[in-house]
Amino acid sequence: KGIPVHISSTRQSFCYDFISSWLAGDERETISRYIKDIEDKWNLTSLFGEADMESLMACDLFPGCDRAILLKLMADVGNDLIDTTSIGEAVGRRKSSVWQPQYRAFYEGLLEVAHMWDFYKDHAEGFHEGNAARIWESYTRDYFRMDRFYRLFQRAYAESLATYDGDLQDLFARVRDKVENLYKNWFLDHLSENWEEAAGEELAAVGHIEGVEQQADFYRFHVQNEKNRVFVIISDALRYEVAVSLSEELRQDHQCQVALSSMEGIFPTITKFGMAALLPHRELSVKISGTNKTERLSVLADQRSTESGSRDAVLKAANRASVALSYKALMQMKREERRAMVKGHEVVYIYHNTIDHLGHADEMAVLPGCDRAVMEIKNLIKMITNEWNGVHVLVTADHGFLSTYSPLLEDEKLDRLEEDERDVEYGRRYMILKEGTDPDYMMPVRFLSGHTGMEAFATHGTVCLKMRGAGMKFVHGGISLQELVVPLLDYHFLRNQSKEYQDNRYKYDTLPVTLDLLSPPKKISNMIFTLNFYQKEAVGGNRRAAVYTLYFTDSTGELVSDGHHVTADRKSSNIQERRFERIPFNLKSQKYDGKETYYLVIQDEEGKTRRIPFTIDIPFAMDDFDFFA
């Protein structure tokens, strides 16, 4: 509507075939410039804004269609009209769009909004568990997903800033504000309140939650009695939900067994305490060292220093065939140098520091930067298995973290009172005092053995103590589940000759999910038509996402339609949510024999194909239009 003189109803099939073939070819940049010029000349963007969503979904030739879809979806989110089904369908169908790279970050961000909203609807009544251990179990099984959705949204938002589009970015900023409110003011606040009510008395009395494995027992339970060589990767601030992503990627990329569990981090959840807890020891203690002006608290393992330069000695005191290494130093070595570093050692600790470094250097980079940490750990594990013939790797962390896009408001910051001059040490989320002081605006947490002459306290909820300098968007040290839940990933590499692998290859070989046609019609009777597909298996475990190419051929293999790509990456266990509906096809302008067999071809990334027979019976399919006459 609005440009009828330029539409040829009798020649649309040929025109569509011609333009879409050009877009798919080597001269794509040229046709892309023409398309954008036409879009501007005829003000198609405003026309697309008036079109219904289904019409926009069916069009792949103009970037304005994607833009109009996004503007409609973002406006709905901004107005609290969130239709998660529509968002999911739009993201799925537009993944094969020619213009997908330009708008990918916006679509991915909206998909995470849909996931967060579904989580909210599932838990709209809040969190009301009375037992701390059960809340812990719920977090590691279910609640952590909200942290993950939020992190992935912030990653998409950061990526979207690389492409300027004033209207889209303004609306996406409004979406970000909605996400921030949902995450901070609903999820974090309500979960923290329930957690503190359920866990407060236990933390004050014994300093930990009964029935939850403790970080301080890590070496004794998982390393000390290991018969074979074990590699331990300690990634500073590797939060539980990030470790879930790591475990999923390892299962899909490696031939391995992976088990993910959790431990309760030692309080306060800061590096020097968490790193000490992961070392061998019978008892952890503290001492005040330095002068009055540079006084600081040091953590000792059986009276030995646990500073970074002393950890190798602590390990060797428990097992002479041990070594502590730095990831950064290892990556700067040659292969033979790395081999020499671990030769003859039974216990190898490798310290990795990406997330915590990013958090303290650039708070805005920490959530997007978690992907970098996952990639580095995966590569480190490959190095262990390939260069050092390692089989068993444990991945854990010293602590987790809290991170939000928006800084804390003034009422979320606490001033320390004058009587807190008995401070031994304090951070954004904790305070350690000499005995005899009890600030009523903080939560007591039993400190180590309880015989240190000191007392420890945590801030409530997401509140932080006022301190100089940056550090209000990335914090740790407190008792939130995001800070306390420490991941423990147990990785076993399976060599081809191992009995476990030979007996259970179907469990460990990574295979692409399968795409199939849903309810195939017997006959095609239109030049332009749509088909519905579905993904047979959910992505997860040893099933990975895959991109399929769809097209039609005649019995000789000659192409008779345009082609389409479908990214089969759905993770839902509900098969209805793994459908790809109304995938459009356009037959080439030629004669079709209703008695011949034609084939829908479903081709995977390796070029393997499946053919599904069809009949094409279209009277007068070939018109008299000769483009080249």
Side-chain angles (χ1 to χ4, degrees), residues 183-457:
Y183 182 69
K184 282 185 65 176
N185 299 333
W186 177 73
F187 178 68
L188 289 182
D189 283 358
H190 285 75
L191 182 60
S192 294
E193 182 180 0
N194 184 211
W195 170 244
E196 289 177 14
E197 288 177 358
E201 290 186 7
E202 275 188 89
L203 292 174
V206 296
H208 63 267
I209 304 304
E210 298 292 347
V212 174
E213 183 175 334
Q214 297 302 299
Q215 185 184 42
D217 294 326
F218 169 76
Y219 188 91
R220 182 162 57 94
F221 286 175
H222 300 282
V223 180
Q224 182 172 296
N225 298 318
E226 180 67 24
K227 295 180 181 178
N228 300 311
R229 186 162 62 161
V230 60
F231 295 85
V232 178
I233 300 172
I234 302 175
S235 184
D236 203 322
L238 181 71
R239 192 161 71 172
Y240 182 81
E241 56 91 5
V242 182
V244 172
S245 296
L246 172 62
S247 67
E248 291 171 351
E249 293 191 26
L250 286 171
R251 288 189 184 98
Q252 293 185 11
D253 297 347
H254 292 221
Q255 191 171 290
C256 63
Q257 288 178 316
V258 178
L260 180 64
S261 58
S262 66
M263 303 181 292
E264 182 183 356
I266 192 171
F267 181 81
T269 50
I270 59 174
T271 297
K272 64 183 176 184
F273 281 90
M275 293 299 185
L278 294 167
L279 289 167
H281 64 273
R282 289 182 298 276
E283 181 184 40
L284 293 178
S285 58
V286 291
K287 73 173 183 178
I288 300 174
S289 56
T291 64
N292 287 337
K293 291 185 178 180
T294 60
E295 199 172 72
R296 63 189 300 272
L297 203 61
S298 298
V299 188
L300 307 178
D302 301 334
Q303 300 306 309
R304 292 186 176 87
S305 169
T306 60
E307 299 287 340
S308 58
S310 304
R311 292 168 192 162
D312 187 75
V314 176
L315 286 168
K316 283 181 167 58
N319 181 344
R320 292 299 304 169
S322 301
V323 65
L325 303 171
S326 158
Y327 167 82
K328 187 176 181 180
L330 282 173
M331 292 301 102
Q332 294 172 349
M333 296 178 185
K334 296 183 177 66
R335 187 161 46 182
E336 289 304 317
E337 293 174 320
R338 290 196 291 261
R339 285 175 177 163
M341 294 296 292
V342 301
K343 186 176 181 180
H345 291 107
E346 298 171 357
V347 176
V348 179
Y349 269 46
I350 303 172
Y351 291 92
H352 172 261
N353 183 16
T354 292
I355 296 174
D356 195 70
H357 173 74
L358 285 172
H360 292 298
D362 180 2
E363 293 176 290
M364 297 299 293
V366 66
L367 291 175
C370 289
D371 290 332
R372 173 181 154 192
V374 168
M375 178 194 69
E376 290 174 350
I377 295 171
K378 284 168 57 182
N379 287 338
L380 179 54
I381 291 174
K382 283 185 179 178
M383 188 186 78
I384 290 171
T385 57
N386 292 338
E387 294 185 11
W388 300 341
N389 293 318
V391 172
H392 187 197
V393 183
L394 297 169
V395 182
T396 187
D398 51 348
H399 56 76
F401 63 88
L402 279 171
S403 182
T404 55
Y405 182 87
S406 58
L408 294 175
L409 302 174
E410 283 305 310
D411 62 0
E412 297 173 301
K413 303 174 188 176
L414 276 177
D415 280 314
R416 292 183 305 121
L417 301 181
E418 292 299 326
E419 55 265 31
D420 292 341
E421 293 177 359
R422 296 170 64 86
D423 291 349
V424 175
E425 179 175 305
Y426 69 94
R428 297 283 187 194
R429 299 272 295 152
Y430 71 96
M431 186 182 293
I432 300 172
L433 309 175
K434 295 175 183 177
E435 284 183 336
T437 306
D438 185 9
D440 58 8
Y441 56 89
M442 297 188 75
M443 286 182 60
V445 180
R446 189 171 189 259
F447 185 50
L448 297 180
S449 64
H451 305 293
T452 61
M454 304 173 196
E455 295 177 345
F457 299 87

Side-chain angles (χ1 to χ4, degrees), residues 502-541:
Q502 290 296 329
D503 290 348
N504 300 283
R505 292 186 62 166
Y506 69 95
K507 287 170 52 180
Y508 301 115
D509 284 345
T510 301
L511 301 171
V513 294
T514 308
L515 187 73
D516 210 345
L517 187 62
L518 184 67
S519 303
K522 295 180 180 180
K523 183 170 65 175
I524 295 171
S525 55
N526 292 294
M527 296 293 289
I528 298 176
F529 58 95
T530 63
L531 294 175
N532 298 328
F533 296 82
Y534 74 103
Q535 182 183 310
K536 283 187 174 181
E537 310 88 6
V539 170

Side-chain angles (χ1 to χ4, degrees), residues 527 560 587-594 598 616-618 621:
M527 296 293 289
V560 298
L587 295 176
K588 291 182 175 293
S589 295
Q590 64 182 51
K591 292 181 179 179
Y592 293 93
D593 189 338
Y598 297 85
I616 300 177
D617 190 2
I618 307 175

Side-chain angles (χ1 to χ4, degrees), residues 451-497:
H451 305 293
T452 61
M454 304 173 196
E455 295 177 345
F457 299 87
T459 59
H460 288 278
T462 59
V463 170
C464 290
L465 293 173
K466 285 186 178 180
M467 295 176 66
R468 291 180 181 175
M472 285 298 188
K473 296 183 180 180
F474 171 84
V475 294
H476 54 87
I479 55 113
S480 72
L481 289 160
Q482 289 79 6
E483 298 163 284
L484 271 181
V485 178
V486 172
L488 175 56
L489 190 151
D490 196 331
Y491 171 100
H492 286 267
F493 179 64
L494 298 176
R495 303 196 182 280
N496 288 338
Q497 64 271 26

Side-chain angles (χ1 to χ4, degrees), residues 134-151:
R134 283 200 290 269
I135 297 178
W136 187 281
E137 193 276 332
S138 293
Y139 180 81
T140 57
R141 173 181 48 83
D142 177 27
Y143 300 165
F144 78 88
R145 295 186 302 123
M146 193 63 158
D147 295 315
R148 186 184 191 182
F149 299 150
Y150 178 79
R151 172 174 62 85

